Amino acid sequence: MTLTELRYIVALAQEKNFSRAAERCSVSQPTLSVAIARLEDELGVQLFERGKGFVSPSLVGARVVEQAQLALNEAEKVRQIAQRGRDQLDGTLRLGVIHTIGPYLLPQLIHSLKNVAPNMPLVIEENMTANLADMLRDNDLDVAILALPFDQPGVLTRPLYDEDFKVVVPCGHPWENKTAIAPEEVAGDEVLLLKAGNCFRDQVLGACPQVSSPETDIRLGHSIGTIRCMVASGLGISVLPEGALQHPYSNDMIRVIPFLPPQPSRRVALAWRNCFVRPKAIDALLAAVRGLDSPAYRLLV
Amino acid sequence: MTLTELRYIVALAQEKNFSRAAERCSVSQPTLSVAIARLEDELGVQLFERGKGFVSPSLVGARVVEQAQLALNEAEKVRQIAQRGRDQLDGTLRLGVIHTIGPYLLPQLIHSLKNVAPNMPLVIEENMTANLADMLRDNDLDVAILALPFDQPGVLTRPLYDEDFKVVVPCGHPWENKTAIAPEEVAGDEVLLLKAGNCFRDQVLGACPQVSSPETDIRLGHSIGTIRCMVASGLGISVLPEGALQHPYSNDMIRVIPFLPPQPSRRVALAWRNCFVRPKAIDALLAAVRGLDSPAYRLLV
DNA sequence: TAGCAACGATAGGGATACCCTATAGGTTAT
DNA sequence: ATAACCTATAGGGTATCCCTATCGTTGCTA
């Protein structure tokens, strides 16, 4: 039983004439005649009564034809669904992003993405790099935004932008009026850090070797927002990425001071499985990044 | 797009492995691999993402597979409907019958038919021979029971039984105690006849040439039942088929008297289009007639 | 009544599609 | 390093599919 055969019997039931039914199906009359005879043989039932002046579905034939029409309708829906799905920029994209980027980049990025791919809503997973890597591997995510280095077999990356690190001190701090700070000056346990697992914490420790990693978690924040508040309240100082210090996240209770050149920074990249089937969605994200307009991000795309 | 291809993608979505999916579909792995690639090409969408350790439906693929399953279900119903319809003794049979046979034969016949074909209900059309012939030709009936001769192109007949004619006189009539009557004795306008169009009326006129066909319809009955009552009330005599005089249609207000041999009779037959697709239903009717147990019918089957 | 037109079935041939085995190319596990 | 596993590709054989040509029947018409 094939879809073609089903189309044939539906056409014959409607036309009640082999030649016209064949024409409607764009085949010759013998083709349709033989195909229907074959289907009748396969099903073991005579579907049509060939009379002198008429062709008419038998009792069974009428029911079979009716059901055949339903089957054809469902098959046609398959084609329609595929047709609608041909646009790679149509349909949800599952995007992972690390905690230290998501809240600061995504509002702008989504706004920019709307221009490039208006019909591609994002499902956003905010997590740490290691978890995003797993989800990417397990096909729980389509794409992720995270900080380099990131090397994962079967996953491609593409740098998006560089983002400088800044020193953040509370209002009234001795460094309040410094214009630049050397990485080595940032030292001791006065420095507030993110909890372990966040890649940004390790990047700060790498950039400022004098910072001690305290055993207690008193000076460890769950998020950049927490740390910013702790700094503002006078608990200590910190090092944060510039993106997290843009309006409206900066305020007059803290002072943001640049490092001395070469300023420490991180490289933020897009990552996706090399076999991901919607490359145009990647392109759209790159274009959206290209459309960003923020001095905090030194674009690489 | 073929049903086979739809089966392939459903299997692959379930097994998430080309080899196992191929095995489930009873084809080789390359066959399934190529078929799916071909379908993806036809639909213009990549349905599956082939990763290192996994095979997973894409966003579109998942929807397509889901719809494919629905289409396959509908197609399978086609097969089931045909399967159920394979029994030619299952399903309604449209039976035509003439007025002078229906009320007398059918109660017994249906009872007998229940034993032969318990799942073949009858739709009964009671009409005159000419109309039954038309309905048979136009595929409005499957089969008819009527009196011979009946010759119609494309229609086959098979004799069922012979049925004698009897003279019916009212109680107290001069012939009341005769044991047999010659056809020529039945004469004049005392004889009650069916209205024109009924074949039995013509058969009586043929058997009893002395009977005059009155111009007025005073002595014409709409049905055999009407005539029987008119005889009982003393309006005249009549000639009726033996089947219409069985219990409970006979009573003590009328006398039923046979003709002198050779008794006039009619031959009742089954008729159906030669292309009718349920020959077993014909056989079942013949068997049901064979199962009749009434002295009024001299069976021929 | 002969001829013609309409219709469906059949015959025969050719193109295509389908499915197979063998194998390549890649990754994972031992 | 090797084996095992997985998917894609190549090449070839066969079955299916569809075509044209034609037959047989029926019904209509000249």
Side-chain angles (χ1 to χ4, degrees), chain A residues 18 29-30 33 50:
Chain A
F18 278 73
Q29 171 264 316
S33 197
R50 285 88 156 162

Side-chain angles (χ1 to χ4, degrees), chain B residues 17-20 29-30 33-34 50 55:
Chain B
N17 174 299
F18 278 72
S19 300
R20 285 198 302 274
Q29 170 265 316
S33 197
V34 169
R50 285 87 156 163
V55 173

Side-chain angles (χ1 to χ4, degrees), chain A residues 136-149:
Chain A
L136 211 49
R137 167 172 47 82
D138 299 342
N139 194 16
D140 292 325
L141 286 179
D142 295 320
V143 63
I145 295 176
L146 31 72
L148 295 183

Side-chain angles (χ1 to χ4, degrees), chain B residues 95-99 101-102 106 124-128 132 144-145:
Chain B
L95 169 69
V97 64
I98 56 177
H99 295 299
I101 295 181
L106 288 189
I124 293 168
E125 168 72 22
E126 190 180 302
N127 215 316
M128 293 187 296
L132 295 182
I145 294 176

Side-chain angles (χ1 to χ4, degrees), chain B residues 36-187:
Chain B
I36 290 184
R38 176 161 29 86
L39 180 60
E40 286 178 326
D41 185 58
E42 176 186 343
L43 296 180
V45 191
Q46 194 162 348
L47 301 175
F48 293 92
E49 187 173 326
R50 285 87 156 163
K52 310 204 181 216
F54 67 96
V55 173
S56 174
S58 67
L59 186 66
V60 201
R63 290 201 299 260
V64 166
V65 165
E66 190 180 356
Q67 181 61 40
Q69 181 64 68
L70 296 179
L72 289 173
N73 291 345
E74 295 301 311
E76 186 49 37
K77 283 190 204 162
V78 171
R79 199 180 294 278
Q80 288 171 4
I81 287 172
Q83 180 64 34
R84 279 200 299 272
R86 286 178 74 153
D87 183 3
Q88 297 183 7
L89 301 187
D90 190 294
T92 303
L93 187 74
R94 299 170 300 175
L95 169 69
V97 64
I98 56 177
H99 295 299
T100 54
I101 295 181
Y104 310 106
L105 174 65
L106 288 189
Q108 303 171 55
L109 184 67
I110 288 172
H111 184 263
S112 175
L113 188 62
K114 276 272 180 238
N115 299 324
V116 183
N119 298 316
M120 187 167 70
L122 298 181
V123 171
I124 293 168
E125 168 72 22
E126 190 180 302
N127 215 316
M128 293 187 296
T129 301
N131 294 328
L132 295 182
D134 287 347
M135 296 181 72
L136 210 49
R137 167 172 47 83
D138 298 343
N139 195 17
D140 292 325
L141 285 180
D142 295 320
V143 63
I145 294 176
L146 31 71
L148 295 183
F150 180 77
D151 200 17
Q152 185 88 358
V155 174
L156 302 177
T157 60
R158 164 106 184 225
L160 296 177
Y161 58 83
D162 286 329
E163 180 180 26
D164 290 336
F165 297 168
K166 302 287 179 185
V167 179
V168 185
V169 303
C171 235
H173 188 274
W175 290 356
E176 184 177 15
N177 293 318
K178 293 188 80 156
T179 56
I181 298 171
E184 296 74 23
E185 293 181 77
V186 180

Side-chain angles (χ1 to χ4, degrees), chain B residues 178-257:
Chain B
K178 293 188 80 156
T179 56
I181 298 171
E184 296 74 23
E185 293 181 77
V186 180
D189 61 359
E190 185 197 26
V191 179
L192 308 178
L193 289 174
L194 279 173
K195 292 196 177 226
N198 287 285
C199 62
F200 181 69
R201 165 202 167 98
D202 302 324
Q203 287 157 358
V204 169
L205 290 175
C208 310
Q210 306 301 322
V211 172
S212 64
S213 173
E215 290 296 324
T216 79
D217 61 355
I218 293 179
R219 294 175 186 273
L220 296 181
H222 280 275
S223 72
I224 287 185
T226 308
I227 290 182
R228 200 191 307 108
C229 292
M230 289 162 73
V231 170
S233 72
L235 187 66
I237 70 173
S238 188
V239 175
L240 295 179
E242 186 170 3
L245 297 167
Q246 303 172 94
H247 176 81
Y249 298 108
S250 192
N251 58 59
D252 56 6
M253 301 180 66
I254 59 177
R255 293 286 179 272
V256 177
I257 306 165

